[in-house]
Amino acid sequence: MSINGLAWQRGSAVVIWDCDGERIEKAYRGPVTSVCPLRDGDGLALVEPIDETGPNNAVVFNADGTVRFRVKPPLPTQQVQGFADMYYVKDELTAIMVTPGRDFAVVVDDKTGEYLRIYETR
C-alpha cells in the first residue's frame, strides 16, 4: 500500500490522500502543523494541532489511514507542550518537540516509533 494524491496546504485543518483506490481524510478543528510523506511511501507523518491532542500530537499513519504509532515525548508530559514539526533529516524521521525555553529534535524509527536519539535544537 502506498500514498497517492496527497492534498494539504499549510494552515489547513484537513489532510486527504488516496490508498488503493480509497480516499483517506483526517480532519481537525484547527490547522495541521506539519505533513510529511514517509520515504517509502507507505505512510504519512503528521503533526496534529496541539490544542486537540496535547503533547502526543505527532503521529505516523499507515497508508490506509490507521495509526502506526504516536511519538511519545521522551520527557515527562508536564514538561512538554507538544510537537511543532516532523520531517526527514538525512533519511531519519525527526520530530521537533517544544518545551518551555528550548526545543528538542527526537529522531524516531519511521517503522516502529522507537527513539533513536534526542538532541537540543534551535
Side-chain angles (χ1 to χ4, degrees), residues 5-17:
L6 177 62
W8 175 75
Q9 293 180 348
R10 191 163 299 282
S12 175
V14 179
V15 181
I16 300 169
W17 69 90

Side-chain angles (χ1 to χ4, degrees), residues 83-100:
F83 290 90
D85 208 346
M86 201 164 19
Y87 49 83
Y88 281 95
V89 175
K90 296 184 180 179
D91 293 331
E92 294 181 320
L93 185 60
T94 305
I96 305 302
M97 184 177 65
V98 179
T99 68

Side-chain angles (χ1 to χ4, degrees), residues 34-106:
S34 171
V35 174
C36 176
L38 298 183
R39 64 179 168 209
D40 293 340
D42 63 350
L44 185 74
L46 189 145
V47 179
E48 301 168 327
I50 288 176
D51 62 343
E52 291 184 43
T53 52
N56 295 318
N57 65 322
V59 61
V60 171
F61 290 103
N62 293 309
D64 66 2
T66 59
V67 173
R68 182 178 299 180
F69 63 84
R70 284 191 175 274
V71 179
K72 299 216 183 311
L75 298 175
T77 307
Q78 66 271 19
Q79 295 178 12
V80 178
Q81 293 170 315
F83 290 90
D85 208 346
M86 201 164 19
Y87 49 83
Y88 281 95
V89 175
K90 296 184 180 179
D91 293 331
E92 294 181 320
L93 185 60
T94 305
I96 305 302
M97 184 177 65
V98 179
T99 68
R102 57 188 173 164
D103 297 341
F104 293 91
V106 180

